[in-house]
Amino acid sequence: MTDFETERRILIVDDLTQIHETFTRIFRTTKRKENDLDDFEARFLSDATVTYPSHSTSSPVFSLTHAYSGEEAVHEVQKSIDGAIPFSVAFVDMRMPKGMDGLETIKRLWRIDPRLQVVICTAYSDHTWDQIVQSLGYNDQLLLLRKPFEHDEARQLALALSEKSRLAVLQAQKLTILKTEVMRRRKAEMELRDMAHRDALTALPNRPFLLEKLEQVIANQGPKRRSHDSILFLDLDNFKIINDSLGHDAGDDLLNQVAIRLQECVREHDLASRCSDAEDSVSESNGDETVRLGGDEFVVLLEGLEHRDDALRVARRIVQRICEPFNLDDRLVTVGTSVGVAFVDESISDAHEALRNADTAMYQAKNSGKGQIAVFDQTMHDAVVARHELEAQLRVALKEEKFELRYQPIVNLKNGQIQGVEVLSRWRGGDGEFVPPCEFVPVAEEIGLISQFGEWVLERSMREFSALMASLDDAQRPQVYLAVNISRRQLADPFFIDRLQAIIDRAKFKGALKLEMSENGDARHNERTLKTMLELHHSGVGIHIDDFGKGNSSLTCFHDYPIETVKIDRTFTASITRDHGHAIITQAIVKLAHHLLATIVCQGVESPEQLKLLQQWGCDLGQGYFFAPPLDIFELESLLIKPDESVGIKVLKQSIAAPLHLPAATGSLPGLPASS
């Protein structure tokens, strides 16, 4: 059955039985075959072998319900609505002496079913159209059928109005479906937006959410604002160790627990004493947020602080809370955190700048030690900018080989001969001034260029030194070793020795090679570093400990490493003539090294008085401006040919020629300055 042929429910409301019988005859469904003409054509006008299909038409199917009063009509309509089978059209007689008249009946029916199509059946003497409209109002669901009426007129009204009703129902259904789909899509969009602004692991808001929130906070800034907004940027100390030792599942568990603790810190502060420790100074929260940026980095956004110190109170609370042990799979682990604090005010241009300031302060706190808090100021940003500029220049300088090498002699204090030279790297920055190695070498280590830089220095110095030695005749050529500084990271590389041998082969270096390294290094690489040092020692390459006493020096290096020589830092040498404590420490190091069969080099020798004390203590070698400053390869050649041109070497040889007169025992070690 087509949509047009679907059953149309019609309500007949009239108090006369004859009228109901008339409507029954009008809407009786009949089917008429229309094949008479086809039979005639088949018999007289067409080929008898051709078969013509018969056609039939079906009238619309009407289902009538009869109501003999207005009250009964109301009951039927209510029942149809309750059963979800509403009427399409109601034919309502206007004049019904018993009970409600037609107008009142229509009003009651529309209260129950506002979509019901109504045909008023009225005689000319009942009501005028103006009276009907005045009572019922203008309505496109209302038509007038004057009595007496034709059967086809009633059927056509019923057909048109029922079709209109059916289409209205379909439209309402489609509208409902459309509304449902819109709501579903809106919900999906909200869920996607929430997912896009939530960290998948901790369910905390993420970086995009934070940036949007910060833009709102910045928009509210102004000179008249009395409260303060701040960002706390933090990351976990030693988180990588947890991941490496216990696995990434444990690391994820730790991050979830950290997120919970951070939320507790903010919630406790917000509800208890957000702006002060005093109860009467608590201010209303504007919505603190804890955000995970990724990895082990978190951000806490504090809004509407009454005092700036409140941000520091929250930061201290976070540091204390995070330092408490975490339970990871029945194992207690302890991590710390470093916190950077940055305030958001009218000077901040955008969210990225605000977040960058807090990040900068966090790194400042981290560099100050674990569990520290730092508040951002402009000098921090300036230092970061300078650091990045230095890094960029360093990459270019390494690519274009803009470094220069200098060589500083190392002199034997017992015979006055130049025994070795240390290679020192020099680099002119963009302003043409030399950048100290203590500034650019750590940067090279941090950005992963130290191996490339160190190998360039090795190969370049070997080539220059080999060419210098080859240019001297046998009488002029001294037995001098070449000492090159290397990083502990290079020694931790399992392929370092192979690359070193390749460099030696390319440079055709045949002299004695010494590698100088600082004692400080990453403890996790000790085993690999020690293995490399032992292999170097067995191959004839000497290992020197540089700048001993400058950092966290330990006497275990004499026992743990195959040390050939220890170089005492220049800070000790510079003060041995005036600082009794440094003098005692320096002499003790010399004696200890000799007992352990190591050679001692004192750096920073700059005066005859220092030289005299070092000689008396039995120091083996000396290095410093008193003998010669760092020289280029041509100046070094001249010094090797004529060493007596060095004032220090000349004084040293004269002191060796003259007998030493040691002072009598006076209760202090020989040669030490009297303690003040």
Side-chain angles (χ1 to χ4, degrees), residues 467-485:
L468 170 60
M469 290 293 107
S471 67
L472 301 177
D473 55 37
D474 295 340
Q476 295 175 321
R477 186 183 303 113
Q479 297 297 317
V480 178
Y481 67 78
L482 181 68
V484 184
N485 289 279

Side-chain angles (χ1 to χ4, degrees), residues 52-63:
Y52 292 89
S54 62
H55 300 279
S56 64
T57 59
S58 298
S59 301
V61 179
F62 295 101
S63 174

Side-chain angles (χ1 to χ4, degrees), residues 401 405 407 421 423 454-472 482-484 499-513 632-634 636-637:
E401 298 187 0
L405 297 183
Y407 303 86
V421 293
V423 180
E455 291 175 13
W456 180 87
V457 172
L458 277 166
E459 185 163 352
R460 182 68 173 269
S461 62
M462 286 182 186
R463 290 183 184 276
E464 290 187 353
F465 194 73
S466 295
L468 170 60
M469 290 293 107
S471 67
L472 301 177
L482 181 68
V484 184
R499 291 206 293 272
L500 176 61
Q501 186 59 53
I503 292 172
I504 293 174
D505 294 340
R506 289 197 301 268
K508 299 179 180 179
F509 182 76
K510 301 185 182 303
L513 177 64
D632 62 31
I633 194 66
F634 304 106
L636 177 62
E637 179 182 9

Side-chain angles (χ1 to χ4, degrees), residues 631-643:
L631 309 170
D632 62 31
I633 194 66
F634 304 106
E635 293 170 333
L636 177 62
E637 179 182 9
S638 177
L639 182 63
L640 291 178
I641 296 173
K642 298 178 181 180

Side-chain angles (χ1 to χ4, degrees), residues 514-566:
K514 314 296 180 182
L515 299 180
E516 297 188 1
M517 68 171 193
S518 63
E519 185 189 355
N520 296 325
D522 193 336
R524 290 177 294 178
H525 298 155
N526 279 351
E527 184 176 351
R528 178 66 253 181
T529 300
L530 177 58
K531 183 178 180 180
T532 302
M533 292 169 65
L534 290 172
E535 293 179 13
L536 290 170
H537 176 70
H538 293 317
S539 67
V541 177
I543 302 297
H544 293 191
I545 294 293
D546 196 17
D547 299 330
F548 186 84
K550 182 178 182 180
N552 299 323
S553 299
S554 172
L555 297 178
T556 58
C557 69
F558 291 97
H559 178 268
D560 295 340
Y561 304 147
I563 302 302
E564 179 183 280
T565 299
V566 174

Side-chain angles (χ1 to χ4, degrees), residues 98-249:
K98 297 179 181 179
M100 296 184 294
D101 64 1
L103 292 179
E104 182 62 26
T105 299
I106 294 171
K107 291 179 183 179
R108 294 283 299 274
L109 295 182
W110 275 348
R111 291 175 193 169
I112 301 171
D113 185 0
R115 293 182 297 183
L116 179 64
Q117 306 290 319
V118 175
V119 177
I120 296 177
C121 300
T122 178
Y124 285 97
S125 60
D126 290 340
H127 294 85
T128 66
W129 179 250
D130 290 338
Q131 292 173 333
I132 294 173
V133 169
Q134 185 177 4
S135 178
L136 299 178
Y138 284 100
N139 197 314
D140 65 350
Q141 296 170 222
L142 181 67
L143 290 179
L144 185 65
L145 182 63
R146 291 288 187 182
K147 297 179 181 178
F149 50 82
E150 297 292 335
H151 289 193
D152 288 342
E153 185 180 4
R155 287 180 61 83
Q156 190 61 32
L157 281 175
L159 177 62
L161 292 180
S162 63
E163 180 67 9
K164 178 184 175 184
S165 176
R166 187 185 69 83
L167 294 177
V169 171
L170 290 178
Q171 184 180 19
Q173 291 174 346
K174 291 180 180 180
L175 184 61
T176 300
I177 294 173
L178 182 60
K179 288 181 178 179
T180 303
E181 180 65 16
V182 170
M183 293 299 295
R184 187 189 67 80
R185 293 193 180 190
R186 286 182 178 177
K187 182 179 179 182
E189 289 175 0
M190 292 178 63
E191 291 176 351
L192 288 174
R193 178 178 174 82
D194 187 65
M195 290 173 60
H197 286 80
R198 290 282 171 182
D199 174 56
L201 177 63
T202 62
L204 290 176
N206 58 11
R207 185 186 184 91
F209 174 88
L210 174 65
L211 292 176
E212 286 188 12
K213 183 72 173 179
L214 278 174
E215 292 294 353
Q216 298 173 10
V217 172
I218 293 171
N220 294 329
Q221 299 300 315
K224 296 183 179 180
R225 186 175 174 87
R226 294 292 177 262
S227 59
H228 306 280
D229 305 312
S230 68
I231 304 173
L232 309 185
F233 196 116
L234 58 138
D235 76 347
L236 304 180
D237 298 326
N238 300 326
F239 176 71
K240 188 176 186 303
I241 296 178
I242 300 296
N243 261 349
D244 292 346
S245 59
L246 301 182
H248 289 276
D249 289 342

